Amino acid sequence: MVKKSIFSHDTASILNEDRQQPTIPGIEQPFNVKKDILNIIANIITSNDSSNISIIQNKLYKQFLGSQPVSFTKNDISEKLLTQDYYVCEKTDGLRVLMFLIINPVTNKQNIFFIDRENNFYLNEELNIVLPINNDALHNGTLIDGELVVQKINKKFELRFLMFDLLTVNGKSIINKPTSSRLAHIGHDILKPLNELKMKKPELYSKFEFKFGMKKMEFSYNLVKIFKQIESKQIPHFSDGLIFTPINKKYQLFTKDDLLLKWKPSSENSIDFKMILRFENPTEPDFSKMPIIDLYVWKGGEDKSFASNPNTFYNSRDLKVLSKTYSRLDSLCISEEQWKKLISLNEPLNGRIIECYRNEKNQWCFLRFRDDKLQGNHINVVSNIIYSINDNVQEEELEEVAGDIKKNWDERHPKKK
């Protein structure tokens, strides 16, 4: 009998509350504010070596600063997990953001900026949140990597920022330090003073609009422990896989890090598509009849096919414009019941970005909307994800290799006699 995956989908459900993305707190900022903050971040990151500051600045204007993991393949077991030191943690199904803390020179108050993957900046001034670095000062010039997630605690939903990396601390860059050292800085420079604040001023902490936490990291040979925590629902939010982070590596800016590994079971290895509704009569669409929903992948460039009205349906001319930046991959597998649930939302559907997973019949199924993304996944990313799905490393395979990971780890780090 095949063991049921702890990540198995309820195929009857759609728009599951546990899988919806949290809303980023704050007010989105205009380009002039964004530019000023990016210049400050560039100066801090290059404080140890200012020779490439112009390159960093140009990239910051165009790209998300954060490091990106690559999809896990079978080869990663023998080539990486068995030969190198890794942390492992659950992969939170939340919203990836960077948090930048800075003292406003005009008001002398600490401002919190969230930066999403589209490089949008959200300023938070009224969150009743302060982050001290010690008893006398607040963080100023600190850049944290993490994820916003909605956690269910004591039957109540709570927004939390889960930290898993740190790039700068109080105006000093630490990107060249190994992961182990950067995580230690989170504990010492952020969580420790925050916990002290919580003890000394509980009334102030209780007013925080969202809470802070740190992703629990285990050595890679303890991956079974993470699986058990997910299966027993010890983690108060949805997890859709594992992240393997190299212990001794510096932070990789802007791009995918070939050593930073994202493992998902095939049912969770999802792709973000642009969905296009295809009705029998596009000039007079009949929503009572389920249309064909085509799934398009992004080829790059700015999509100019659909700028004004998301309820305008594509004619041949629109599809021709769309073909310059998108190509059709497949159609969505969706039931009549699920279609009725979608249209009952009374929200725009056509041209929206949706996240889909592939079921056992190799059909793409709706998971959730991705309104945090302007474009679907790039065609190169899609190819890598499909390769990872087909490669299909199962939970049992990782569990079976955990003992070998520990054996090789001990050989690399013999105990001193």
Side-chain angles (χ1 to χ4, degrees):
M1 184 176 178
V2 179
K3 176 185 174 184
K4 184 179 178 181
S5 170
I6 61 176
F7 301 96
S8 295
H9 286 284
D10 177 3
T11 55
S13 69
I14 193 169
L15 303 177
N16 190 326
E17 281 188 0
D18 292 339
R19 302 301 299 265
Q20 301 312 302
Q21 294 285 290
T23 301
I24 300 177
I27 300 171
E28 189 172 349
Q29 297 300 292
F31 179 75
N32 62 315
V33 175
K34 173 179 170 178
K35 183 179 179 181
D36 289 343
I37 297 300
L38 285 174
N39 286 336
I40 293 170
I41 292 174
N43 281 314
I44 296 173
I45 287 175
T46 58
S47 58
N48 297 326
D49 179 13
S50 59
S51 61
N52 62 346
I53 186 169
S54 61
I55 297 174
I56 295 291
Q57 283 176 327
N58 288 333
K59 281 190 173 183
L60 277 172
Y61 295 149
K62 301 173 184 177
Q63 294 176 245
F64 178 63
L65 178 64
S67 179
Q68 301 286 347
V70 297
S71 295
F72 196 93
T73 66
K74 277 186 169 66
N75 289 338
D76 291 326
I77 294 176
S78 58
E79 295 177 3
K80 294 169 185 175
L81 295 189
L82 289 173
T83 61
Q84 300 179 47
D85 295 349
Y86 270 87
Y87 291 121
V88 63
C89 66
E90 54 89 17
K91 183 184 176 299
T92 305
D93 188 34
L95 189 62
R96 171 79 179 280
V97 288
L98 297 173
M99 176 188 282
F100 186 58
L101 303 160
I102 189 169
I103 302 297
N104 187 318
V106 177
T107 64
N108 207 34
K109 291 184 177 180
Q110 187 184 62
N111 286 167
I112 297 175
F113 288 89
F114 280 118
I115 309 168
D116 68 15
R117 283 188 291 192
E118 301 295 341
N119 246 12
N120 298 312
F121 279 55
Y122 299 84
L123 172 61
N124 295 271
E125 294 182 293
E126 307 297 333
L127 290 178
N128 298 316
I129 292 177
V130 291
L131 260 73
I133 191 164
N134 52 46
N135 291 330
D136 303 314
L138 301 178
H139 276 278
N140 184 21
T142 296
L143 185 62
I144 311 167
D145 200 350
E147 199 151 17
L148 281 170
V149 63
V150 177
Q151 295 186 330
K152 194 173 185 179
I153 300 174
N154 297 325
K155 297 183 179 180
K156 291 184 179 180
F157 289 102
E158 179 178 275
L159 183 64
R160 188 174 295 268
F161 179 59
L162 287 180
M163 301 173 284
F164 53 72
D165 216 323
L166 191 61
L167 286 75
T168 69
V169 182
N170 231 34
K172 295 181 180 179
S173 173
I174 61 170
I175 59 173
N176 289 324
K177 291 188 175 184
T179 305
S180 55
S181 177
R182 300 195 306 273
L183 293 179
H185 275 285
I186 294 179
H188 181 269
D189 297 325
I190 298 176
L191 287 181
K192 182 174 180 287
L194 192 59
N195 287 332
E196 290 173 355
L197 174 71
K198 183 179 178 180
M199 294 292 291
K200 294 177 181 178
K201 299 180 179 180
E203 72 287 346
L204 176 61
Y205 183 81
S206 67
K207 294 178 182 178
F208 278 23
E209 296 293 328
F210 61 85
K211 299 298 190 280
F212 289 79
M214 183 178 175
K215 292 287 285 288
K216 173 68 174 174
M217 300 282 180
E218 298 281 352
F219 292 139
S220 55
Y221 53 77
N222 282 326
L223 62 91
V224 176
K225 181 179 179 181
I226 305 294
F227 279 145
K228 289 181 178 178
Q229 290 173 350
I230 296 171
E231 185 174 21
S232 60
K233 301 190 183 302
Q234 296 178 39
I235 300 168
H237 54 260
F238 195 90
S239 301
D240 61 352
L242 302 176
I243 295 289
F244 294 94
T245 306
I247 291 177
N248 301 307
K249 192 175 183 298
K250 70 177 185 178
Y251 191 94
Q252 183 77 40
L253 298 173
F254 296 113
T255 187
K256 288 190 176 293
D257 183 343
D258 290 338
L259 293 178
L260 182 60
L261 308 175
K262 173 181 64 178
W263 175 85
K264 286 184 173 187
S266 57
S267 62
E268 286 291 339
N269 235 328
S270 56
I271 292 176
D272 299 327
F273 295 102
K274 178 185 281 289
M275 71 170 178
I276 305 297
L277 309 185
R278 184 153 46 103
F279 289 92
E280 287 184 13
N281 185 354
T283 58
E284 296 180 6
D286 182 359
F287 281 87
S288 67
K289 296 180 180 179
M290 186 173 65
I292 295 172
I293 301 179
D294 289 324
L295 302 174
Y296 281 74
V297 297
W298 185 43
K299 297 188 292 187
E302 182 183 357
D303 175 23
K304 297 181 179 180
S305 68
F306 211 71
S308 56
N309 183 5
N311 279 327
T312 299
F313 296 95
Y314 283 82
N315 56 33
S316 57
R317 184 172 174 271
D318 296 322
L319 290 172
K320 186 176 181 180
V321 175
L322 179 70
S323 67
K324 294 179 181 178
T325 53
Y326 275 85
S327 62
R328 181 185 175 279
L329 180 74
D330 209 332
S331 294
L332 184 70
C333 174
I334 185 171
S335 68
E336 291 281 354
E337 183 182 352
Q338 291 171 331
W339 168 247
K340 288 176 182 178
K341 193 167 183 178
L342 281 179
I343 60 175
S344 70
L345 298 172
N346 292 318
E347 295 178 0
L349 298 175
N350 208 19
R352 208 161 165 181
I353 304 300
I354 61 171
E355 184 175 352
C356 300
Y357 68 94
R358 199 169 77 176
N359 66 15
E360 298 84 1
K361 297 179 181 179
N362 290 331
Q363 298 166 315
W364 293 104
C365 304
F366 181 95
L367 186 59
R368 61 185 167 187
F369 292 114
R370 293 307 303 261
D371 296 328
D372 58 308
K373 292 191 171 185
L374 292 176
Q375 309 291 355
N377 286 136
H378 190 272
I379 193 167
N380 292 341
V381 174
V382 171
S383 296
N384 291 336
I385 293 173
I386 291 176
Y387 177 84
S388 183
I389 292 173
N390 293 334
D391 202 39
N392 199 18
V393 178
Q394 300 286 345
E395 297 151 51
E396 291 81 5
E397 292 180 75
L398 289 176
E399 291 174 352
E400 288 170 3
V401 81
D404 290 332
I405 295 174
K406 179 68 166 68
K407 175 176 173 291
N408 290 4
W409 185 295
D410 290 342
E411 289 176 356
R412 291 194 301 274
H413 305 281
K415 293 181 180 180
K416 295 181 180 179
K417 296 180 180 180

